[in-house]
Amino acid sequence: MDIHSHCEPERVRVTHASLDLEVDHAKKEIRGTVVLSLDRPDREAPLVLDAKGLAIESVKGSDGGVRLWSLGPEDASLGSALTIELLWADTTVRIAYRTTERSEALQWLGPDQTADRAEPFLFTQGEPIFTRTWIPLQDSPGVRITYDARVRGPEGQTVVMSAEQAGKDAEGAFRFRMDRPIPPYLIALACGRLEFRPISERCGVWAEPSVVDRAREEFADTEKMVQAAELLFGPYRWGRYDLIVLPPSFPFGGMENPCLTFATPTVLAGDRSLVSLVAHELAHSWSGNLVTNATWSDFWLNEGFTVYFESRIMERIYGVERARMEAQIGLADLEREMKELEPRDQVLHIHLRGRHPDDGFTGVPYVKGALFLRRIEEVFGRGSFDRFLRSYFDAHAFRSITTGQFVQYLERELFSLDRALAAQIDLHKWLEEPGLPEDAPRPQSKTLVEVDLQIGRWKAGTAPGDLETRGWVTQPWLHFLEGIGDALDAGAMAKLDEAFRFTSTGNSEVLDVWLRLAIQHRYAPADTRLENFLMTVGRRKYLEPLYKEMVKTGEGKVRANAIYAKARPLYHAMTTGTIDEILGRKK
Ligand code: BES
Ligand code: ZN
């Protein structure tokens, strides 16, 4: 039972969606038809779909005749139930529709918001419950479907989707086919001026012409990552693994759309130091896409497993020290975040009744989820745990499962093997209670111990230029900045800036922390860069802490509102949803 969908799949279930669409940048509209194939255990029941911000034009049954339909009352986050009266013989329905300016999944970008500034661009973001804003369907992660699509875009533009590419037809429309059942939030599309560069036989990267070669360089290790993942979790089952680098307003770091990870250009640091994002999205090809959270209360099954796998992939390719360093930073971030979270939001198996699934989007499902799995690994040993994980994926492949089903499988296939070991893991505490259990693993990195030394020296008065920072990449710098944050003032920031040029760094991860500190300590020389960053980057994880820091003072609030007035139209709906709340704008 999914409280975030209107559908009643045990009565009538959608099994396949066949899309025929046209992308119209001028009207900012996708229009066309979707034919839904149905499984009908209850022949008396109507078909109930989710729809939000869609203009429904007509609904027809299998024989081509019109069918009665109605849109129920609209819930601000869930949208409406679209109820269709079926005739006895209907095995399909055909819905003609178009999207509207309220279709939150879609972001329509003007040429100025792209890297090449030449042509408009469109991308979609389906997770968690936005697919219903561009396709009427049963938008629940427990209702898996296959899909195919035919999409016309403007002359000269390329359309890509989260599916196997099936060529172009005579009219120049792009064709796609996803023949493995996926949750609807994984249907995704992008359309713009795109080029492709291969990385290996089955991996490659799409991006705007001016970005694609840089992206190819940054992601050169992708094939190695796929091979490492296969050794750990079993065969990669989705054919190709490509990435697309989107324009900077993309609201996430990455999104694991099958066959085609969507990624922010802010990971292109030039030194491959942020490629754990690729390991993460790739890992979702198992955790999330192959075995999916059945409801958004089980979101930790997607993200906790994925952070754990991400770390295993990173360890295999870049060594245990790099993996530990990233894990230690992840834990530090979680501990800072948890201090601000209500107890109910610190729980892995989260209650979401009356709430939007996005309310559960915190570090908890990610980092606490991964630590839980680390803990099991630690107690049972890597060999046993890896065998368990392999069998878990094989047993649940292409299925959506709940936390309860996971626990059942864990009890039966691992905990029953050794009751004494199992007794060391308090499942209830990990899954249903707030906070971090005392037995949570604490990853420790040697490199970061070195950084701690330098933090100590800086605090004791050593000049920035005399610190030993040689060889530091992103993570040591992040740890350094977080470590000195409380002891800073504008004068100290100026000296650090002179030595390390933080304000002009091309590393967005470091820049984000630096800019937050600049707001906190009123370091004015970073103002221009801050405004520029807020006006181009739409990645929510970066923007949220910056706006939050600004609204802490009266003067900052005025500034935040002034910048946001200009920047808001440049952000995706998922980002504006969050920032609106920080700035006290009503929904
Ligand atoms: N699946 C998530 C993104 C997501 C989650 C979108 C929930 C909408 C709702 C994706 O895999 C993710 O976790 N992205 C992270 C990157 C990662 C390296 C932790 C991000 O975007 O920051
Ligand atoms: Zn993820």
Side-chain angles (χ1 to χ4, degrees):
M1 174 55 191
D2 176 5
I3 57 173
H4 297 109
S5 170
H6 294 96
C7 70
E8 299 168 6
E10 58 302 322
R11 303 177 73 194
V12 184
R13 177 183 285 260
V14 174
T15 58
H16 181 84
S18 185
L19 295 155
D20 188 345
L21 302 174
E22 177 157 0
V23 173
D24 185 337
H25 288 291
K27 287 195 176 151
K28 299 194 172 161
E29 148 185 317
I30 296 181
R31 58 179 170 268
T33 58
V34 60
V35 176
L36 301 174
S37 307
L38 308 174
D39 189 16
R40 300 180 58 187
D42 179 355
R43 284 266 156 185
E44 309 291 332
L47 168 63
V48 185
L49 307 174
D50 294 295
K52 190 179 182 210
L54 292 177
I56 306 294
E57 281 155 5
S58 69
V59 179
K60 292 177 178 166
S62 294
D63 60 4
V66 295
R67 297 290 177 267
L68 288 175
W69 58 275
S70 65
L71 270 179
E74 177 164 338
D75 177 282
S77 31
L78 306 182
S80 307
L82 169 57
T83 304
I84 298 170
E85 302 301 333
L86 300 172
L87 294 189
W88 189 265
D90 284 333
T91 54
T92 59
V93 293
R94 177 193 198 85
I95 305 170
Y97 70 98
R98 60 199 154 74
T99 63
T100 70
E101 71 287 348
R102 296 193 308 119
S103 294
E104 293 159 293
L106 310 180
Q107 192 177 4
W108 299 94
L109 307 178
D112 284 354
Q113 284 178 273
T114 67
D116 290 4
R117 299 178 163 271
E119 291 191 36
F121 199 103
L122 165 72
F123 66 81
T124 69
Q125 167 61 40
E127 193 181 16
I129 54 168
F130 296 105
T131 300
R132 66 189 68 177
T133 74
W134 73 287
I135 308 171
L137 42 58
Q138 295 183 321
D139 193 10
S140 168
V143 182
R144 307 181 77 95
I145 58 172
T146 51
Y147 81 87
D148 65 72
R150 174 176 181 272
V151 187
R152 273 148 300 154
E155 185 72 42
Q157 293 207 344
T158 303
V159 178
V160 292
M161 287 191 82
S162 55
E164 183 192 330
Q165 296 191 312
K168 272 187 172 185
D169 70 11
E171 289 157 54
F174 292 82
R175 291 183 159 276
F176 305 93
R177 183 164 54 221
M178 170 48 72
D179 55 17
R180 300 155 185 96
I182 58 167
Y185 72 81
L186 291 176
I187 304 176
L189 178 152
C191 174
R193 179 81 197 287
L194 291 168
E195 278 182 17
F196 178 77
R197 296 283 184 277
I199 293 171
S200 67
E201 195 80 16
R202 61 175 160 179
C203 298
V205 55
W206 290 95
E208 289 183 67
S210 70
V211 176
V212 73
D213 289 310
R214 227 166 12 110
R216 161 79 186 64
E217 267 314 293
E218 200 82 24
F219 299 147
D221 288 338
T222 302
E223 171 64 32
K224 268 197 247 169
M225 287 187 180
V226 181
Q227 287 176 16
E230 286 189 307
L231 282 174
L232 291 164
F233 324 125
Y236 178 76
R237 307 190 200 211
W238 304 91
R240 296 196 58 85
Y241 181 74
D242 293 323
L243 294 127
I244 175 172
V245 177
L246 294 159
S249 67
F250 185 60
F252 292 97
M255 177 64 214
E256 66 271 25
N257 299 313
C259 307
L260 183 66
T261 283
F262 281 27
T264 169
T266 62
V267 289
L268 305 177
D271 59 3
R272 301 186 192 170
S273 65
L274 300 177
V275 295
S276 62
L277 182 125
V278 178
H280 179 97
E281 305 311 336
L282 169 66
H284 274 305
S285 306
W286 289 264
S287 47
N289 299 3
L290 190 59
V291 181
T292 308
N293 51 212
T295 77
W296 297 109
S297 289
D298 310 303
F299 183 55
W300 79 274
L301 284 177
N302 276 16
E303 298 299 343
F305 269 81
T306 297
V307 171
Y308 172 77
F309 288 163
E310 167 196 337
S311 182
R312 295 290 302 273
I313 295 170
M314 291 304 286
E315 177 180 329
R316 243 198 133 85
I317 297 182
Y318 304 101
V320 70
E321 176 52 25
R322 167 101 177 245
R324 280 202 192 129
M325 186 162 73
E326 298 196 17
Q328 186 182 332
I329 288 176
L331 174 56
D333 288 345
L334 175 70
E335 288 187 313
R336 267 191 298 275
E337 185 183 9
M338 274 240 271
K339 287 191 200 137
E340 320 268 301
L341 291 178
E342 293 173 46
R344 65 171 183 171
D345 291 334
Q346 301 177 8
V347 172
L348 279 182
H349 187 206
I350 190 174
H351 290 266
L352 288 171
R353 189 160 288 284
R355 308 175 78 195
H356 193 283
D358 205 38
D359 291 2
F361 185 89
T362 68
V364 172
Y366 285 77
V367 179
K368 184 178 173 183
L371 289 172
F372 171 44
L373 299 174
R374 275 254 174 243
R375 174 67 186 149
I376 305 176
E377 181 204 307
E378 190 179 271
V379 169
F380 279 84
R382 195 167 260 194
S384 301
F385 191 49
D386 281 357
R387 271 190 300 282
F388 166 78
L389 289 174
R390 273 295 276 259
S391 73
Y392 168 74
F393 283 111
D394 289 338
H396 300 94
F398 301 109
R399 299 246 284 271
S400 302
I401 69 167
T402 61
T403 300
Q405 287 169 296
F406 165 74
V407 167
Q408 229 175 32
Y409 192 79
L410 181 72
E411 292 274 8
R412 198 178 72 217
E413 300 295 326
L414 189 66
F415 282 16
S416 66
L417 302 183
D418 191 326
R419 282 290 154 200
L421 292 182
Q424 295 179 41
I425 299 162
D426 186 339
L427 287 181
H428 190 270
K429 191 166 212 168
W430 272 103
L431 292 170
E432 311 291 347
E433 292 178 24
L436 259 191
E438 319 71 62
D439 62 354
R442 304 213 132 252
Q444 297 280 331
S445 140
K446 288 196 202 104
T447 315
L448 298 186
V449 172
E450 296 294 317
V451 175
D452 286 333
L453 263 168
Q454 301 309 315
I455 291 173
R457 289 184 64 217
W458 179 82
K459 284 187 173 168
T462 305
D466 295 331
L467 298 172
E468 283 152 38
T469 61
R470 219 170 322 122
W472 285 13
V473 289
T474 307
Q475 293 76 17
W477 283 118
L478 292 175
H479 187 72
F480 179 76
L481 288 175
E482 294 292 3
I484 64 171
D486 287 342
L488 281 174
D489 59 35
M493 288 191 76
K495 286 190 192 135
L496 286 162
D497 217 0
E498 201 183 316
F500 304 122
R501 305 267 153 231
F502 289 119
T503 301
S504 54
T505 176
N507 186 308
S508 56
E509 202 77 24
V510 172
L511 181 65
D512 190 47
V513 176
W514 178 253
L515 291 176
R516 194 186 76 225
L517 296 171
I519 299 165
Q520 187 186 343
H521 301 291
R522 297 162 194 260
Y523 176 59
D527 282 357
T528 315
R529 188 79 208 269
L530 171 66
E531 181 159 347
N532 186 268
F533 190 70
L534 295 173
M535 292 291 296
T536 46
V537 173
R539 186 173 175 186
R540 185 168 72 172
K541 180 187 118 175
Y542 288 163
L543 300 188
E544 199 176 340
L546 297 177
Y547 280 104
K548 271 191 178 153
E549 194 61 48
M550 280 197 274
V551 300
K552 283 183 185 167
T553 66
E555 157 207 356
K557 220 178 254 170
V558 172
R559 180 149 170 246
N561 277 298
I563 296 176
Y564 192 49
K566 292 181 284 174
R568 193 177 186 281
L570 310 177
Y571 300 156
H572 186 273
M574 285 200 78
T575 299
T576 57
T578 301
I579 310 296
D580 281 357
E581 225 167 287
I582 295 170
L583 296 188
R585 295 197 178 200
K586 51 174 200 297
K587 286 207 173 168

